[in-house]
Amino acid sequence: QVQLAESGGGSVQAGGSLTLSCAASGRTFSIYTMGWFRQAPGKERDLVARISPRGTMTDYVDSVQGRFTISRDNANNTVYLQMNSLKPEDTAVYYCAAARLGYMTAGSSPHLYDYWGQGTQVTVSS
């Protein structure tokens, strides 16, 4: 069992930056594929970025490539999402999630992630 808690959301102007953090409970954090998802009002929950258990592989949705960076600190059971050059279309509730499946198998489907945080709101104004 893993419990996840996001922090770091807020309101920024376009072009600004935010860093989201996700703290995980438990002693097996390093075995999970971790992902950041986001959900805007009226839209589905979509993957933003994911990272392999040891942090050696990452993947991003095209719309954030080059602007967002996912990283993890297994010693401190934390995964991060550094968001730069934010745009109004990045506005959403951001969730971190953990998958027991391997990095390649878990992929981008939220249905394959087993544990979720409560979400943190990110609002980008133009």
Side-chain angles (χ1 to χ4, degrees):
Q1 189 79 11
V2 176
Q3 293 184 325
L4 304 172
E6 303 96 336
S7 61
S11 297
V12 296
Q13 290 191 328
S17 298
L18 284 173
T19 300
L20 304 183
S21 299
C22 174
S25 66
R27 294 179 291 180
T28 58
F29 175 74
S30 62
I31 71 172
Y32 292 98
T33 294
M34 298 299 297
W36 283 99
F37 291 77
R38 66 185 178 187
Q39 188 168 21
K43 295 189 176 181
E44 296 183 348
R45 189 174 299 187
D46 293 323
L47 180 75
V48 175
R50 63 191 177 108
I51 188 166
S52 61
R54 294 185 179 183
T56 55
M57 293 183 289
T58 59
D59 187 33
Y60 300 88
V61 66
D62 287 347
S63 60
V64 308
Q65 185 76 41
R67 299 189 297 122
F68 291 11
T69 303
I70 188 170
S71 62
R72 67 190 296 164
D73 180 352
N74 286 347
N76 290 297
N77 286 7
T78 305
V79 62
Y80 303 97
L81 185 68
Q82 173 68 44
M83 305 185 294
N84 298 326
S85 302
L86 282 161
K87 303 176 180 179
E89 51 263 42
D90 294 318
T91 296
V93 178
Y94 283 71
Y95 299 89
C96 71
R100 289 174 293 182
L101 292 172
Y103 177 77
M104 298 304 294
T105 305
S108 61
S109 173
H111 303 292
L112 297 181
Y113 285 73
D114 303 285
Y115 305 106
W116 292 84
Q118 80 287 351
T120 186
Q121 177 70 46
V122 172
T123 302
V124 185
S125 57
S126 57

